[in-house]
Amino acid sequence: MSALMTEAVLRGLVLYLLILLTMGVAASYFARVTMPRPPVGRFVWTDIWIMVVALVAMPFAYMHMPIGLVVTIFGVVVFTVSQLVLSPVLGGRNAALVAALLCAADVAAYFAQWPAAVLVVNDLTMILLTVGVANMWAQTGMRAAHVAGLAAALTVYDALATGVSSLTADFVSRVEGLPFAPILATGYGPVSSLAGLGDCLMLAVWPLVAAKAYGRAAGWWAAVVEGTLLLGLTLAVLLTDLEFVPLLLPLGPLIVGQHLFWRRRERARALRGGPERVELAQALEDLPADARSWVALHEGAVVATGSAPGTARRAARQAGVTAVPVVRGTGG
């Protein structure tokens, strides 16, 4: 094996591990941290279709914008989301300071012509961005059906932009090596190994929303399926001459399929459960629109709510429930 091939293999495997790390950090953050809720209410289907239009239109717009403007837009997004992610952990002022330092380091490394430093800092900001946006979506009420619909729409777009046209390749060529480039990468140039921000977001958000909607088993299965798919695609790229693989082409249908499977399973369980299950469903429907994301259930009744499974259980204990309650997400 040539030195160039060895380097490409190592970079591909490191990228695979970086994506798994990003998914793991997103899941850990989701289980332990509550992000500040923006005053925008809950997700509805109109939000999803606006998001699809924006995600499809942005690469076309960025291809015709001055590169300085593109970097500025990305920088503002990175600073804002990084601050939101870090604020519950570090506090508002410290979060703003760390976010500003990360952005400054990315820009300084670029002007100092330190490509390795740009690569490392940019990957760190992209991980923060992915964790932040995925948790923002999952914690503000994005339902499993919303993620499935978004995945289906983006599958068509990715097939056209990556598999049929050169839009993805042209966009990556324009932004790679720049500060705040929306790609997670372990190298640029002839042995580049990278994944787009959109792919990382879909990989990170689906296990969170699946767990919230259908339980922990669904979340774990989502993560296992995605990890297996990623490994297969990584090996396919390393063993063939493929340059860009439309990840959402297989990932989108897998997300849709899992959503349909778990939804059908939940409905079958509800039918088998009889009157008690109906009462439980009614109790969930009676929750106010601004209720927390997790509920503790005991003897068919909602006894407490919380922003995470642990906080819901703790609230149930404080309410005097001595038995271990069942904790469910209110999304669906």
Side-chain angles (χ1 to χ4, degrees), residues 68-88:
L69 180 59
V70 173
V71 171
T72 300
I73 293 173
F74 288 158
V76 170
V77 172
V78 167
F79 173 78
T80 303
V81 176
S82 297
Q83 183 182 15
L84 285 174
V85 174
L86 297 172
S87 183

Side-chain angles (χ1 to χ4, degrees), residues 166-177:
S166 63
L167 177 62
T168 298
D170 294 341
F171 178 72
V172 169
S173 298
R174 189 163 195 243
V175 302
E176 67 176 353

Side-chain angles (χ1 to χ4, degrees), residues 7 27 48-49 89 136-137 148 159-160 171 179 197 234 245 257 262 284:
E7 183 180 357
I48 301 301
W49 302 131
V89 180
M136 194 183 306
W137 287 353
L160 296 175
F171 178 72
L197 176 61
T234 299
V245 177
W262 290 109
L284 291 175

Side-chain angles (χ1 to χ4, degrees), residues 4 25 44 125 137 158 169 185 192 201 208 233-234 259 302 307 332:
L4 195 63
V25 172
V44 295
T125 59
W137 287 353
D158 202 27
S192 62
L201 281 174
L208 307 186
L233 290 178
T234 299
H259 163 60
V302 177
S307 57

Side-chain angles (χ1 to χ4, degrees), residues 7-222:
E7 183 180 357
V9 170
L10 289 175
R11 288 188 175 185
L13 294 177
V14 171
L15 177 65
Y16 173 70
L17 295 176
L18 270 181
I19 295 175
L20 292 185
L21 173 65
T22 303
M23 293 168 58
V25 172
S28 179
Y29 188 98
F30 182 74
R32 294 172 173 81
V33 181
T34 302
M35 294 185 71
R37 286 177 176 263
V40 294
R42 299 177 69 86
F43 270 94
V44 295
W45 279 108
T46 303
D47 300 324
I48 301 301
W49 302 131
I50 291 174
M51 192 182 302
V52 169
V53 172
L55 289 172
V56 170
M58 279 191 297
F60 292 97
Y62 291 148
M63 291 299 293
H64 298 89
M65 287 182 183
I67 201 64
L69 180 59
V70 173
V71 171
T72 300
I73 293 173
F74 288 158
V76 170
V77 172
V78 167
F79 173 78
T80 303
V81 176
S82 297
Q83 183 182 15
L84 285 174
V85 174
L86 297 172
S87 183
V89 180
L90 303 178
R93 291 183 180 179
N94 290 336
L97 177 61
V98 172
L101 289 175
L102 278 173
C103 293
D106 210 356
V107 174
Y110 173 76
F111 283 108
Q113 297 184 351
W114 296 338
V118 173
L119 187 67
V120 171
V121 177
N122 199 69
D123 279 353
L124 181 57
T125 59
M126 287 305 105
I127 291 174
L128 276 175
L129 189 61
T130 302
V131 170
V133 174
N135 272 273
M136 194 183 306
W137 287 353
Q139 293 189 25
T140 55
M142 178 178 275
R143 297 187 287 115
H146 292 152
V147 181
L150 181 62
L154 293 182
T155 297
V156 177
Y157 165 74
D158 202 27
L160 296 175
T162 305
V164 177
S165 73
S166 63
L167 177 62
T168 298
D170 294 341
F171 178 72
V172 169
S173 298
R174 189 163 195 243
V175 302
E176 67 176 353
L178 293 175
F180 318 119
I183 49 179
L184 185 66
T186 55
Y188 301 132
V191 287
S192 62
S193 184
L194 50 88
L197 176 61
D199 295 335
C200 294
L201 281 174
M202 295 306 300
L203 288 166
V205 76
W206 172 239
L208 307 186
V209 176
K212 180 178 174 181
Y214 303 121
R216 185 176 298 179
W220 274 108
W221 271 111

